Amino acid sequence: MPMDHLRLGPPASPSDREPRTVVLHRFTVRGSFAIRLGRVARLLSSFGSAGSLILGGACFLAFAALFGMSMENLEVLRGDKLILRGLLFHGFHGVKPEERKLGQKFLIDVDAWMDLRAAGKSDELSDTVSYTDIYRLVKEVVEGLPKNLLEAVAEHIASTTLAKFPRIMAVRVKVGKPHVAVPGPLDYLGIEITRYRSSSKRDQVVCA
């Protein structure tokens, strides 16, 4: 990238700034934040175990603020989850005519966060969500009605998972295309999204 495209100061006005300039500025801000956090970390470390406890809590809050994530959602992502990896289905999603006509393989990963303690203690399937049920849901979406974008495929999987399985508090969906016409080797190209159950619905699940 030519050096004349690098802006390290405040971002330009929306009318004349380029997308790469915005990204660079965003990373510059986050980088400065990380440097300051590192200085605070070294200071708190000098206070021993008490400082370490304060540091842990500070880092937890800092990263939540930095990435726009609520404390409640952060707590969910630190908990138990169901994992489905490498699900492969043939679908007809895409914007090109040949994608709609011939179709292609789609690679799916799913993480579904829920409390697994009850199932761990009871050893009963009724106390958890079956992997095969999530698998079937993903299969129906990917092999179902074609969509233009991978984002729409992932959103459909995520929203349907949260709607169908009330115990699941959050879901992460990764959708990849292993066979893409690009000039070079690759495993796949794709997208990843994370969606959370709303606080009000979450409370209803807990009360139930």
Side-chain angles (χ1 to χ4, degrees):
M1 183 188 297
M3 290 301 294
D4 58 351
H5 287 293
L6 298 179
R7 296 183 184 174
L8 299 180
S13 64
S15 61
D16 62 359
R17 65 187 179 191
E18 298 179 3
R20 56 187 165 188
T21 301
V22 177
V23 172
L24 177 61
H25 176 73
R26 196 172 296 161
F27 276 102
T28 302
V29 171
R30 290 184 176 180
S32 300
F33 183 88
I35 292 172
R36 291 171 186 163
L37 188 61
R39 291 172 181 168
V40 173
R42 287 193 294 272
L43 176 62
L44 288 173
S45 296
S46 64
F47 291 96
S49 58
S52 297
L53 288 174
I54 297 173
L55 175 61
C59 288
F60 191 77
L61 292 171
F63 281 108
L66 183 61
F67 294 101
M69 192 182 299
S70 70
M71 288 290 295
E72 191 173 23
N73 289 341
L74 270 174
E75 285 291 344
V76 169
L77 297 187
R78 293 176 64 188
D80 310 332
K81 66 179 179 180
L82 303 172
I83 302 171
L84 290 83
R85 290 288 181 270
L87 283 61
L88 193 63
F89 305 105
H90 192 90
F92 295 84
H93 312 288
V95 295
K96 298 179 180 179
E98 57 269 27
E99 291 179 306
R100 290 299 183 99
K101 182 179 180 180
L102 302 175
Q104 60 189 305
K105 296 297 182 183
F106 292 89
L107 186 65
I108 315 294
D109 289 344
V110 177
D111 293 311
W113 279 267
M114 62 174 291
D115 193 338
L116 300 177
R117 286 175 292 185
K121 293 176 181 178
S122 70
D123 198 23
E124 294 290 340
L125 182 59
S126 59
D127 286 327
T128 187
V129 172
S130 173
Y131 309 102
T132 56
D133 288 341
I134 299 177
Y135 179 93
R136 292 192 191 98
L137 183 155
V138 176
K139 178 180 172 67
E140 289 176 3
V141 172
V142 179
E143 295 182 349
L145 185 66
K147 298 184 181 300
N148 291 325
L149 304 178
L150 297 184
E151 290 86 341
V153 176
E155 192 70 44
H156 192 179
I157 293 172
S159 62
T160 307
T161 299
L162 291 174
K164 189 171 183 179
F165 306 111
R167 292 176 176 173
I168 294 178
M169 296 293 104
V171 60
R172 178 181 295 148
V173 180
K174 182 187 294 183
V175 181
K177 295 168 70 172
H179 307 297
V180 186
V182 296
L186 53 81
D187 290 332
Y188 64 87
L189 299 178
I191 59 96
E192 178 180 304
I193 66 170
T194 304
R195 297 293 179 263
Y196 305 90
R197 186 173 301 283
S198 66
S199 297
S200 58
K201 293 183 179 179
R202 194 176 299 174
D203 292 338
Q204 292 173 8
V205 173
V206 172
C207 291

